Amino acid sequence: MNMRKIAIGLLAFALVAPSIASVSLKDKKEKKPKTEKKAKVDNKTKTNKASSSNSPRKVQTINDVEAAILGIEKIVSHTLVEVEPIVQQICESQQTKKSVCPRIYVGAANAFWLKSGVSDTTYALKYIDKAIELDPHYAPAYMLKGDIYKWADDTTVAVNYYKKAIEMAPNDFRTYRTYVLFVKAGLDKVTARAFAGDTEAQEEVRRRRARMENIYAMAKEANPTYPYNRNCARLYADYGLTTNEYKKGIQLYEEVQKDSLEARDYINQVQMVSAFLEKADGKTKLQHYTRIMNICDSGLVRYPTDYYILANGAKYANMGYELVKKQQGEALYESKKLFSSRALEYSETLIASKDTLITDQNYLDYGKALINNNKLNQGIDVLKELLKSPTIKDDQVASAMGVISNTYKDMGEYDKAETAYQEYINTVESNGKLNYFHLQNYAKMYEDKAEECVGMEQVAAYKKAFDIYGQAAERFPDYADYGYVNQLQLSPLIDPDQEAGVGLQPALQLFNSVSANASWQLMATRYLVGYYYNVKKSKELARKYFMRWHELDPDNETVKRNIAILYKVKL
C-alpha cells in the first residue's frame, strides 16, 4: 500500500467514534492515566531522546520517517477505533528488503504513550519491542522503555533499561543525560529540606549526587572527551551542602577544559566562592573578591554580554571596593583602583546592553560604581532616577539614599547632605529597618561638617551630632554605650570648661553601665571627677568617683594624693 492510499484510509478513520483504549504495563496492574498536560510536557523531551541509533544498518531518509511519525501522532491523538492496524501499516511501509527502520516503531510507541490521551502503554511497549526485534542495538528504544517504567514507578526496571541504552550507545551523551535526569528528579525539594537541617534529606542528596557522578564517570570511560569535571562541578554547585563540598566543586571547575564551560558555569563558580565570604577575615575576603572578579573576567572572554556574569561582576567588585576603600597602603590602593574600575566596566557594559533582565539592583550597582570612580554627580543622577522606579524595594531605596547622602557629604555640600540624610533616616524608619548605625552615620555627617566650620557654626554642628548620638543610645539600648562614648568625646568640643555639664548625663550612664568596658568607664569617671570636684567644688560628690578612678587606674599618683586628702588616708 503506498502512502497516498494510507492517507485516504486515515481520513476515513477520522470519522469513526472514539474508542476506550486499554492502558496497562505487561505483568503489572492497570495504572491510572497521566493527565493530558503531563503527557504533552513529557512528549517534548521523550521524542527528542529517540532520535538516533547506534545501529550500523541503513535507515530511511529522515524526512520520510519523521513525516510518517507526525502522521501517526495525528491519528493516535484522535483515539480512533482500531487505529493500530493503520499505524502498523505505516511502520511496515518504512521497512524494505535492504533496510529496516526501528525509529518509526519507537516514534509510534511514543505516540501511543503520549499522544493518545490515555497513556496507552500496551501498544507503546509492543512497538518498542518490535523496534528492538528489528535492531537489538537501537538505544532510543531502551531509553523510551526506561521512561515508561519510570512513569509507572518501577524504578528498578527503568534503571536496567537506561543502563541497557548506555550499553548500546556508549558514545551517545544523550543517554547519560537522560539517566542523570532520572536520578535528579525531585532532588531540588530534597536539597531544600537538607539545608533546613533534615539529616535524612542530607544523606539522600549525597547518595544521589554520588550516583550521578558515577554516571558521568561511565560516560568519561566510554569517551575521554566527555566533560566529566564540568558536569560533576555543576553537581556540587547545585547540591553542595557544606563549604567543603563547595571547595570540591571549585577544584573540579579548575580542572575543566575551558572550551566546555558555558556561561552558567562561571556563575556557579562565583556562587560557590561567595559562600566563603561571610566567615572570612578582611584579608581572606579580599582574596575571595579578587577571585570572583577573575572568574567573571574569564567568563566575559567567551560570553562578553552575558547578563549574569556582568551583574555578578558589578555586585562583587563594588563589595570588594567597599572592603578596602578606607584602608591604607600601596597594595590596597591598587586593589581600590582595580575594584572600582572593573565594577564600572561591568555596569556600563550591562546597562548599554539593554538586556531585558536588567533590574533596579543593577542600576543601584551602576550608581555606586560611578561614585566610586569619582563620577559623583553622574552617580547621584543615576541613583535619583532609580528612586523613581515603581518596582524598587525598600532596602534598595535605603541603600540609594544612603549613598546619595554620603556622596553629598564627601563633596562638602552639607546643606544637600543634611536634607538627603533626613529623608534617608525617615525612609528607613518608615520601613521599620532603622538601626543604631544609620543614626551613627547621620551624626558623623555633622561631625565632618563641624570640622569645616568655625565659631558658633562649628559648635552647632557638634551639638547636632551630640543630640543624634543621644537619640541613638536611647532608641537602641544594645548599642547605648557606643552612643554615650561618642557624646562624651564630643562634650569638650561643645563645652570646653565643662561648666554647662554637657557630658554629665552620658558620663553617668557609662559609669553605671554593666556592659561598658574599663576604658569607657575610666573616661566617664574622669569626667565626673572633673565636673564635681573642679566645677561644682563638691568633695562629697567627688569622693566615690575618685575611688572608682583609683580602682580603674591604681598607679595614678595624682588620684592617690587626692584620695588621701578627701578621705584622710594614705594609699
Side-chain angles (χ1 to χ4, degrees):
M1 181 181 293
N2 60 33
M3 292 301 293
R4 178 177 175 80
K5 291 181 179 179
I6 292 174
I8 294 172
L10 298 182
L11 290 174
F13 271 96
L15 300 175
V16 182
S19 68
I20 301 175
S22 62
V23 183
S24 64
L25 276 176
K26 291 181 179 179
D27 301 324
K28 291 183 66 68
K29 293 182 179 180
E30 181 173 315
K31 295 184 64 66
K32 292 182 179 180
K34 296 288 184 181
T35 64
E36 183 177 357
K37 180 178 180 182
K38 167 69 176 174
K40 288 182 179 178
V41 171
D42 285 350
N43 186 51
K44 292 179 182 178
T45 56
K46 296 182 175 68
T47 53
N48 287 339
K49 293 169 187 169
S51 61
S52 67
S53 172
N54 196 45
S55 170
R57 300 184 181 185
K58 181 181 178 182
V59 298
Q60 302 292 84
T61 63
I62 192 67
N63 289 339
D64 290 344
V65 174
E66 296 305 321
I69 290 173
L70 287 174
I72 292 172
E73 289 180 351
K74 289 179 180 179
I75 294 174
V76 173
S77 67
H78 291 294
T79 60
L80 304 179
V81 173
E82 298 298 328
V83 298
E84 198 269 337
I86 304 302
V87 174
Q88 181 67 32
Q89 290 176 9
I90 296 174
C91 292
E92 290 176 354
S93 72
Q94 297 296 314
Q95 318 303 318
T96 69
K97 291 181 180 180
K98 294 184 178 180
S99 68
V100 296
C101 183
R103 168 75 182 108
I104 189 73
Y105 284 98
V106 170
N110 199 64
F112 277 113
W113 181 34
L114 294 178
K115 294 292 185 178
S116 65
V118 290
S119 300
D120 190 327
T121 56
T122 300
Y123 282 137
L125 290 171
K126 172 184 175 180
Y127 279 82
I128 290 173
D129 289 341
K130 181 62 177 177
I132 293 173
E133 180 186 334
L134 287 173
D135 185 354
H137 298 282
Y138 192 63
Y142 298 104
M143 189 63 65
L144 182 57
K145 204 166 186 178
D147 287 344
I148 292 174
Y149 279 97
K150 172 189 171 184
W151 169 80
D153 295 327
D154 195 336
T155 56
T156 301
V157 175
V159 167
N160 289 335
Y161 281 116
Y162 287 138
K163 290 181 177 178
K164 186 69 174 178
I166 289 173
E167 180 186 342
M168 293 298 102
N171 293 319
D172 187 345
F173 291 169
R174 290 171 298 180
T175 57
Y176 301 99
R177 184 165 59 249
T178 302
Y179 190 10
V180 165
L181 290 174
F182 166 71
V183 176
K184 189 185 290 188
L187 190 54
D188 288 341
K189 292 181 179 179
V190 179
T191 305
R193 297 203 309 273
F195 275 119
D198 186 328
T199 54
E200 289 186 4
Q202 291 169 359
E203 292 177 4
E204 174 72 4
V205 169
R206 293 190 172 101
R207 183 182 66 79
R208 287 215 231 170
R209 191 178 63 209
R211 284 184 66 189
M212 289 186 278
E213 286 185 88
N214 288 336
I215 295 169
Y216 291 143
M218 291 166 57
K220 178 72 172 177
E221 184 177 357
N223 190 331
T225 65
Y226 187 79
Y228 168 82
N229 287 344
R230 184 202 66 183
N231 287 353
C232 288
R234 288 175 177 175
L235 292 179
Y236 284 93
D238 294 338
Y239 306 111
L241 302 178
T242 65
T243 51
N244 282 337
E245 290 174 350
Y246 286 146
K247 282 182 181 178
K248 184 170 182 180
I250 293 168
Q251 181 182 351
L252 285 165
Y253 266 126
E254 290 174 346
E255 298 168 358
V256 166
Q257 289 281 13
K258 298 305 178 185
D259 59 2
S260 73
L261 293 178
E262 298 174 3
R264 72 184 179 103
D265 293 306
Y266 294 97
I267 303 306
N268 285 345
Q269 293 178 71
V270 167
Q271 291 173 342
M272 286 192 288
V273 173
S274 68
F276 296 90
L277 287 169
E278 184 178 353
K279 296 183 179 179
D281 58 27
K283 182 178 179 181
T284 308
K285 275 187 178 179
L286 179 59
Q287 294 171 347
H288 291 329
Y289 285 130
T290 302
R291 188 173 192 177
I292 288 172
M293 194 173 62
N294 290 338
I295 291 170
C296 290
D297 285 345
S298 297
L300 291 173
V301 171
R302 305 189 66 218
Y303 307 98
T305 60
D306 183 81
Y307 166 80
Y308 294 102
I309 297 177
L310 290 168
N312 277 274
K315 172 185 174 181
Y316 287 107
N318 272 337
M319 291 172 68
Y321 177 81
E322 289 298 318
L323 176 69
V324 298
K325 72 176 182 179
K326 294 183 179 179
Q327 305 298 319
Q328 303 298 319
E330 185 175 345
L332 292 177
Y333 174 73
E334 292 301 319
S335 293
K336 282 185 246 186
K337 286 200 305 182
L338 184 60
F339 284 128
S340 61
S341 62
R342 295 303 291 131
L344 184 56
E345 289 174 24
Y346 295 138
S347 292
E348 287 181 332
T349 303
L350 179 59
I351 299 302
S353 74
K354 301 186 184 301
D355 196 301
T356 56
L357 293 172
I358 292 173
T359 66
D360 293 331
Q361 182 62 47
N362 301 137
Y363 278 101
L364 179 58
D365 288 329
Y366 180 34
K368 289 179 179 179
L370 286 165
I371 288 167
N372 293 341
N373 283 272
N374 292 317
K375 298 183 178 183
L376 306 182
N377 287 313
Q378 189 178 345
I380 289 173
D381 289 343
V382 168
L383 295 178
K384 283 184 174 180
E385 192 64 28
L386 169 63
L387 291 173
K388 300 176 185 177
S389 170
T391 58
I392 191 170
K393 298 176 182 177
D394 290 345
D395 60 334
Q396 293 168 341
V397 171
S399 180
M401 294 182 74
V403 172
I404 291 170
S405 303
N406 284 322
T407 304
Y408 277 133
K409 182 192 74 173
D410 294 340
M411 294 168 68
E413 297 187 23
Y414 288 104
D415 290 342
K416 291 181 179 179
E418 287 180 57
T419 301
Y421 259 114
Q422 289 167 1
E423 293 177 354
Y424 169 50
I425 295 298
N426 292 339
T427 299
V428 176
E429 186 169 20
S430 67
N431 294 335
K433 296 184 178 180
L434 183 68
N435 62 42
Y436 173 84
F437 298 101
H438 292 131
L439 293 173
Q440 176 179 274
N441 290 336
Y442 189 21
K444 286 186 177 299
M445 186 273 295
Y446 282 104
E447 288 188 68
D448 290 343
K449 178 182 178 180
E451 291 178 7
E452 297 189 15
C453 300
V454 294
M456 294 307 297
E457 188 178 357
Q458 183 181 64
V459 173
Y462 280 131
K463 183 65 169 62
K464 186 67 176 178
F466 181 94
D467 292 341
I468 294 172
Y469 281 127
Q471 295 170 23
E474 184 178 346
R475 297 188 62 173
F476 301 99
D478 290 345
Y479 294 93
D481 292 340
Y482 294 92
Y484 296 135
V485 166
N486 282 312
Q487 281 189 306
L488 202 53
Q489 290 173 334
L490 289 176
S491 64
L493 301 173
I494 301 168
D495 180 23
D497 299 325
Q498 298 183 2
E499 291 182 357
V502 170
L504 181 60
Q505 287 305 312
L508 288 170
Q509 292 285 357
L510 283 172
F511 182 84
N512 294 314
S513 172
V514 296
S515 58
N517 60 46
S519 63
W520 290 354
Q521 285 206 347
L522 179 59
M523 182 191 305
T525 302
R526 292 175 64 178
Y527 179 91
L528 292 168
V529 166
Y531 179 73
Y532 286 113
Y533 191 75
N534 297 322
V535 178
K536 292 299 183 180
K537 308 296 184 184
S538 172
K539 294 180 181 180
E540 292 298 321
L541 293 174
R543 281 183 179 180
K544 71 173 181 178
Y545 301 116
F546 265 118
M547 289 302 296
R548 180 59 177 153
W549 190 349
H550 175 63
E551 291 173 7
L552 294 168
D553 189 11
D555 298 325
N556 191 307
E557 295 298 330
T558 301
V559 175
K560 289 180 181 180
R561 285 195 300 272
N562 280 287
I563 290 176
I565 294 170
L566 292 172
Y567 287 91
K568 296 184 170 55
V569 296
K570 184 176 181 181
L571 294 177

